[in-house]
Amino acid sequence: MSWIEAVILGIIQGLTEFLPVSSSGHLTIVGTLFGMTGEENLAFAILVHVATVLSTIVVLWGEVSGLFKGFFSFRWNDETKMVSKILLSMIPVGIVGVFFKDTVEDLFGSGLLLVGCMLLLTAALLMISYYARPRQKEEISFRDAFIIGIAQACAVMPGLSRSGSTIATGILLGNKKEKVAKFSFLMVIIPVLGEAFLDVVKVMKGSDVSAFSSISVSAMVCGFVAAFISGVIACKWMIDIVKKGKLVYFAYYCIAAGLFAIIYLQFN
């Protein structure tokens, strides 16, 4: 992988992590066009996911710092309740990560057909949430947090947008769009950092080193920086887009991208 390819992939990751169009699906599609292997694609995806998590923390620093202060005051307050909901939402993806990690990694090398189908499913979710008119709630309940967490666990499938799935699910449950968007971005911080830590430990133990060693240091740095900067821009943009209720436009894009992935597979 050249540094230019890393920058392109980093920008794609940073933008698509927050926009509801599936970062994993786009990395798989572009990685295939660049001739990357499934293992190399997964290794690079881990790196740039950490970059976009850091961009989330930067953009939502006010919320993140407020949650920390409130939680460590050791009182049952609004911040403690929100942290509890975030922790509850992480249980489903934690179960997937512990018991089905190898299966998920295999999916990243399964080709474009799965990616194309999952992009079409993402489009369907976005369209349904756009046209649905559920009764509005004032705050995200513990029940809703867990259901949104299930949506996040399902979105480990390459091509199924994590932000699209969680935000659409939250909206369908009747939650306010801006609150769901911020909750969606906050709930992914610990799982992604935890996943990255486990993969670093695995590399240090000597397994799967080839996937990371095949990417040069310069490419990793360029990809990381590109993903971080584009992630900051996309995170701010996405919150504004959700507030204005324009997610349906991304559904059309996901349909086009999904069909491209499926059609490209037929001719290659």
Side-chain angles (χ1 to χ4, degrees):
M1 178 191 298
S2 68
W3 71 269
I4 295 178
E5 291 174 337
V7 168
I8 294 173
L9 288 169
I11 292 173
I12 290 172
Q13 161 63 25
L15 293 175
T16 57
E17 175 65 27
F18 299 102
L19 302 180
V21 294
S22 178
S23 60
S24 61
H26 279 72
L27 286 179
T28 301
I29 292 172
V30 179
T32 300
L33 295 176
F34 286 171
M36 294 172 60
T37 64
E39 292 79 10
E40 190 179 18
N41 200 342
L42 177 62
F44 189 79
I46 293 168
L47 177 72
V48 291
H49 267 96
V50 174
T52 49
V53 165
L54 293 179
S55 69
T56 305
I57 295 174
V58 169
V59 174
L60 299 178
W61 178 246
E63 287 81 358
V64 173
S65 60
L67 290 175
F68 266 99
K69 291 176 183 177
F71 182 76
F72 287 105
S73 67
F74 301 107
R75 298 195 311 270
W76 187 249
N77 49 35
D78 290 341
E79 290 78 16
T80 306
K81 284 195 291 185
M82 178 56 71
V83 172
S84 300
K85 292 172 185 177
I86 291 173
L87 293 174
L88 178 63
S89 73
M90 295 188 314
I91 292 176
V93 75
I95 293 173
V96 172
V98 171
F99 295 104
F100 303 100
K101 189 174 187 297
D102 292 338
T103 302
V104 171
E105 290 182 355
D106 290 340
L107 290 173
F108 275 81
S110 59
L112 293 182
L113 178 59
L114 177 62
V115 170
C117 292
M118 290 300 103
L119 281 167
L120 294 178
L121 179 57
T122 298
L125 286 172
L126 293 174
M127 283 190 169
I128 293 171
S129 67
Y130 178 77
Y131 290 107
R133 294 292 182 269
R135 180 178 297 179
Q136 291 286 296
K137 302 176 183 178
E138 287 302 316
E139 64 176 35
I140 298 172
S141 66
F142 282 92
R143 168 183 167 273
D144 290 356
F146 186 74
I147 295 174
I148 294 172
I150 294 175
Q152 176 173 248
C154 293
V156 299
M157 301 284 288
L160 183 57
S161 170
R162 191 204 65 81
S163 63
S165 299
T166 53
I167 292 173
T169 300
I171 293 173
L172 288 171
L173 290 170
N175 295 287
K176 293 183 177 179
K177 296 172 182 177
E178 183 178 5
K179 288 186 176 182
V180 170
K182 290 184 177 181
F183 186 82
S184 170
F185 299 152
L186 289 170
M187 67 188 285
V188 76
I189 293 176
I190 295 178
V192 171
L193 291 179
E195 172 73 10
F197 175 76
L198 292 176
D199 283 303
V200 169
V201 170
K202 181 187 287 188
V203 169
M204 293 177 67
K205 288 182 177 179
S207 60
D208 291 346
V209 178
S210 59
F212 287 88
S213 61
S214 62
I215 306 174
S216 67
V217 175
S218 61
M220 288 192 287
V221 172
C222 289
F224 186 93
V225 173
F228 175 79
I229 294 174
S230 58
V232 169
I233 296 171
C235 185
K236 293 180 179 179
W237 185 30
M238 183 60 184
I239 292 173
D240 186 58
I241 289 173
V242 174
K243 283 194 295 185
K244 294 179 179 178
K246 296 182 178 179
L247 291 178
V248 70
Y249 298 118
F250 294 102
Y252 302 140
Y253 174 83
C254 286
I255 291 173
L259 292 176
F260 170 80
I262 294 172
I263 294 171
Y264 178 86
L265 179 66
Q266 302 303 315
F267 290 96
N268 290 274

